[in-house]
Amino acid sequence: MSYMIYTDCNKTDDKETNMTYIKINFNSNDGLKMTADLYEVDKPKGFIVLCHRSHCNRAEYRETAPRLNELGYSCLAIDQRSGMKVFGETNETKDRAKAKGLPTGYLDAKPDIEAAIDYAYELNGKNKIILFGSSYSASLALLISTQTDKVKATIAFSPGEYLKGVNLAGEIKSIDKPTYVTSPKAEIQQVTDVIKNVNPTLLTHFIPTADGFHGSKTLWKEVSGHETYWTSLKLFLSSI
């Protein structure tokens, strides 16, 4: 696959939020043009691919990615084809998929995440990246992590048995890299059921005492208890 670095790039600087990112495009594994926001730092300690939850888009990470930048990580927040317009942003990958008559279910987004991994791997000097998923994309992140050597660690917020025809708990028993999972309090058992076969020496399961929120939105400042999730996530990142 050939990579188009900064194709159709558009740098955004938001002085109110101290947020800087570059809007880029690259192709999914089936040739569909994807949109993503690239948040770069100088001399990063790692590179994180950020995948959004259902009915969402790359803007899910407009608050989270800058905090990850502060921790020393460059980030690529992508639009998967399974999503929608929300948070004041359009899911451009979904719009292109619909225009082409392509399916936009959860599993249909798998080649988008796989392409983003390949793209980030190249941007990261062909060094392994960290894969970060939210809700259905957390499930995809866990699944894909068993199928690639380009991911060095996986972060999954609110994974579940969301993938039609896939027994996720069975499929991810072969995970061979550090894995972090968490959820709101109401989803603790759901997550426990998904990760029951994962090697416990590779697993960090943060069980919250705060109610939290579904997916990575639990890291947002507006969510009560968000800092407890951040503390746990920082400890995991520092361990890898």
Side-chain angles (χ1 to χ4, degrees), residues 2 15 26 30 65 108 188 213 221 227 240:
S2 61
K15 294 181 180 179
F26 56 93
D30 64 355
D108 299 311
I188 291 172
F213 197 92
K221 292 178 182 177
E227 282 296 347
I240 59 171

Side-chain angles (χ1 to χ4, degrees), residues 40-236:
E40 288 188 298
V41 298
D42 293 331
K43 298 180 181 179
K45 63 176 66 173
F47 201 113
I48 304 177
V49 172
L50 301 168
C51 308
H52 60 75
R53 68 181 191 263
S54 61
H55 304 103
C56 198
N57 58 58
R58 66 195 188 278
E60 179 174 341
Y61 294 99
R62 291 277 164 80
E63 180 180 318
T64 302
R67 288 200 63 173
L68 292 170
N69 283 168
E70 291 173 2
L71 296 176
Y73 295 89
S74 289
C75 300
L76 183 70
I78 66 171
D79 273 354
Q80 298 119 230
R81 71 189 67 190
S82 187
M84 63 181 291
K85 181 177 181 178
V86 71
F87 307 135
E89 190 63 79
T90 297
N91 187 317
E92 298 181 8
T93 307
K94 167 70 173 289
D95 290 349
R96 295 188 194 103
K98 288 186 67 177
K100 290 179 176 290
L102 298 174
T104 57
Y106 294 164
L107 272 172
D108 299 311
K110 187 170 183 280
D112 303 338
I113 297 175
E114 292 169 336
I117 293 168
D118 291 341
Y119 188 83
Y121 179 79
E122 295 293 325
L123 288 180
N124 198 36
K126 296 188 177 181
N127 293 307
K128 294 182 180 183
I129 61 92
I130 299 168
L131 185 57
F132 187 129
S134 174
S135 187
Y136 90 88
S137 72
S139 298
L140 283 174
L142 292 171
L143 179 64
I144 292 168
S145 291
T146 70
Q147 303 168 354
T148 178
D149 293 327
K150 294 179 180 179
V151 172
K152 77 174 199 174
T154 308
I155 297 168
F157 278 74
S158 296
E161 294 288 356
Y162 305 131
L163 308 176
K164 188 175 181 179
V166 175
N167 180 336
L168 188 62
E171 291 290 338
I172 65 174
K173 62 185 177 181
S174 61
I175 282 179
D176 60 356
K177 57 206 64 173
T179 302
Y180 173 95
V181 297
T182 192
S183 66
K185 188 188 297 184
E187 297 174 359
I188 291 172
Q189 188 58 54
Q190 166 186 302
V191 173
T192 300
D193 290 343
V194 165
I195 61 173
K196 62 186 178 183
N197 297 318
V198 176
N199 183 342
T201 65
L202 296 172
L203 186 64
T204 299
H205 182 189
F206 174 59
I207 299 175
T209 55
D211 288 339
F213 197 92
H214 181 68
S216 79
K217 187 177 176 180
T218 203
L219 294 171
W220 291 15
K221 292 178 182 177
E222 69 184 50
V223 177
S224 178
H226 69 280
E227 282 296 347
T228 63
Y229 288 91
W230 273 110
T231 298
S232 173
L233 180 59
K234 289 175 186 177
L235 286 172
F236 175 75

Side-chain angles (χ1 to χ4, degrees), residues 12-59:
T12 299
D13 291 290
D14 189 330
K15 294 181 180 179
E16 290 185 3
T17 60
N18 195 31
M19 176 173 60
T20 300
Y21 59 90
I22 301 170
K23 179 180 172 184
I24 63 172
N25 299 114
F26 56 93
N27 288 339
S28 181
N29 283 353
D30 64 355
L32 179 68
K33 185 178 180 181
M34 293 176 57
T35 297
D37 292 336
L38 177 63
Y39 302 77
E40 288 188 298
V41 298
D42 293 331
K43 298 180 181 179
K45 63 176 66 173
F47 201 113
I48 304 177
V49 172
L50 301 168
C51 308
H52 60 75
R53 68 181 191 263
S54 61
H55 304 103
C56 198
N57 58 58
R58 66 195 188 278

